[in-house]
Structure formats: structure tokens, C-alpha cells
């Protein structure tokens, strides 16, 4: 519970600093929220060369030791706190990094050890993940990098 409180403090501080406190409140209080499940086949061939036109960006899996030792530094600070919280709950995170700065991240759950993926949204949406499938539930691109087609990679 304390970790969630710390995360909330980081998010509130960032929202105040950027003038987005109202937007944060709207995101956190999600009455009458519309959710649209989307299925994507990610088993497609990618073209040769870099995943993006930005050759300095690399795709990595986020691991707790790398985050704690600051091998990866989050440009949106609360995402680092959130990352450690999610990893503790057996979620997996992947990121686009430039140098050692995380400029975008995505979080998901997978089935493992013959057990289905577990996340509260799955039950709410009536979805299950089979072997070879994943449920992605959270993604963020640093505001400075938005509009540059980085969400797809």
C-alpha cells in the first residue's frame, strides 16, 4: 500500500509541475470509462534495419536490477516507481531507450507455467490469454517523443 502511495505522490508532483493535474484526476477517476479490446498479431516479420527511423533508440526488457542501479532512467520519473511496482506483481515491461533514458514503455502479462495470465482487466473484459499470447495494459511515450511513430515499435 505504501508503494502505491509513493507512486501517487510522484504522479501528482509531475502533474503539478507540468500543469496537468486536472488531466491526471480525470485519468485516475474513470467513471463511465469505455474500454475497447484490440487484438494484434505480433508474429509478423519486421523490415531489416532499425525498428524506428531513430537509430539511437533501442528496445529492452525492463528488469528490477537495471532500474534500481539506474542503468535505465525514466524521463517520466513516476514510471520508474511504477515499473518496480509492476515487476513485483509479475508483470513484464519493455522499453524504448535512448542512451540510458527510457522514452517509452509498455507493460503486459503472459501465461506461464501452464497457468493463464493474471490481471484484473482480463476478468473485467472477459478475456483469457493462451500460450503464445500476452495482454498489454499500460503504455506511455514521453511527451517529447510523441507524434514520431514510436508507439508501433
Amino acid at each position: 500500500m505504501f508503494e502505491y502511495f509513493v507512486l501517487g505522490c510522484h504522479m501528482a508532483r509531475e502533474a503539478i509541475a507540468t500543469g496537468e493535474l486536472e488531466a491526471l484526476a480525470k485519468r485516475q477517476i474513470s467513471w463511465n470509462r469505455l474500454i475497447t479490446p484490440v487484438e494484434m498479431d505480433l508474429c509478423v516479420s519486421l523490415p531489416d534495419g532499425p525498428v524506428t527511423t531513430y537509430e539511437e533508440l533501442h528496445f529492452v526488457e525492463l528488469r528490477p536490477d537495471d532500474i534500481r542501479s539506474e542503468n535505465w532512467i525514466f524521463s517520466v520519473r513516476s514510471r520508474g516507481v511504477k515499473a518496480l511496482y509492476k515487476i513485483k506483481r509479475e508483470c513484464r515491461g519493455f522499453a524504448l531507450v535512448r542512451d540510458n533514458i527510457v522514452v517509452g514503455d509498455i507493460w503486459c502479462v503472459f501465461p506461464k507455467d501452464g497457468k493463464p495470465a493474471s490481471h484484473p482487466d482480463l476478468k473485467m473484459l472477459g478475456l483469457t490469454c493462451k500460450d503464445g499470447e500476452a495482454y498489454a495494459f499500460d503504455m506511455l511515450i514521453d511527451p517529447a517523443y510523441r507524434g514520431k511513430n514510436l508507439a508501433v515499435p
Side-chain angles (χ1 to χ4, degrees), residues 57-58 60-63 66-67 70-77 79-80 83 93-107 140-143 145:
L57 293 174
H58 303 281
V60 299
E61 181 167 0
L62 295 169
R63 301 194 184 275
D66 291 326
I67 297 167
E70 296 186 351
N71 290 342
W72 308 129
I73 298 170
F74 288 77
S75 57
V76 178
R77 191 169 174 203
R79 297 300 283 189
F94 302 90
L96 279 174
V97 296
R98 180 179 185 194
D99 298 322
N100 68 330
I101 307 295
V102 174
V103 299
D105 60 85
I106 187 166
W107 292 90
L140 180 94
I141 301 289
D142 178 323
Y145 285 83

Side-chain angles (χ1 to χ4, degrees), residues 2-117:
F2 178 72
E3 291 170 337
Y4 199 71
F5 174 75
V6 170
L7 174 61
C9 290
H10 280 287
M11 291 172 65
R13 186 174 56 211
E14 287 171 355
I16 291 167
T18 60
E20 296 180 357
L21 189 58
E22 184 179 341
L24 174 67
K26 286 179 181 177
R27 281 194 310 270
Q28 298 304 315
I29 302 170
S30 55
W31 294 324
N32 299 322
R33 187 169 79 175
L34 176 64
I35 298 173
T36 306
V38 176
E39 290 185 32
M40 293 176 67
D41 181 2
L42 299 177
C43 297
V44 295
S45 297
L46 293 175
D48 290 337
V51 176
T52 72
T53 57
Y54 303 94
E55 292 185 21
E56 70 273 9
L57 293 174
H58 303 281
F59 190 70
V60 299
E61 181 167 0
L62 295 169
R63 301 194 184 275
D65 292 341
D66 291 326
I67 297 167
R68 285 189 194 102
S69 63
E70 296 186 351
N71 290 342
W72 308 129
I73 298 170
F74 288 77
S75 57
V76 178
R77 191 169 174 203
S78 64
R79 297 300 283 189
V81 176
K82 203 177 236 189
L84 292 171
Y85 179 81
K86 288 177 181 177
I87 290 170
K88 232 183 211 183
R89 278 147 189 80
E90 299 187 356
C91 301
R92 289 179 70 187
F94 302 90
L96 279 174
V97 296
R98 180 179 185 194
D99 298 322
N100 68 330
I101 307 295
V102 174
V103 299
D105 60 85
I106 187 166
W107 292 90
C108 49
V109 291
F110 299 84
K112 68 178 195 177
D113 301 327
K115 297 177 184 169

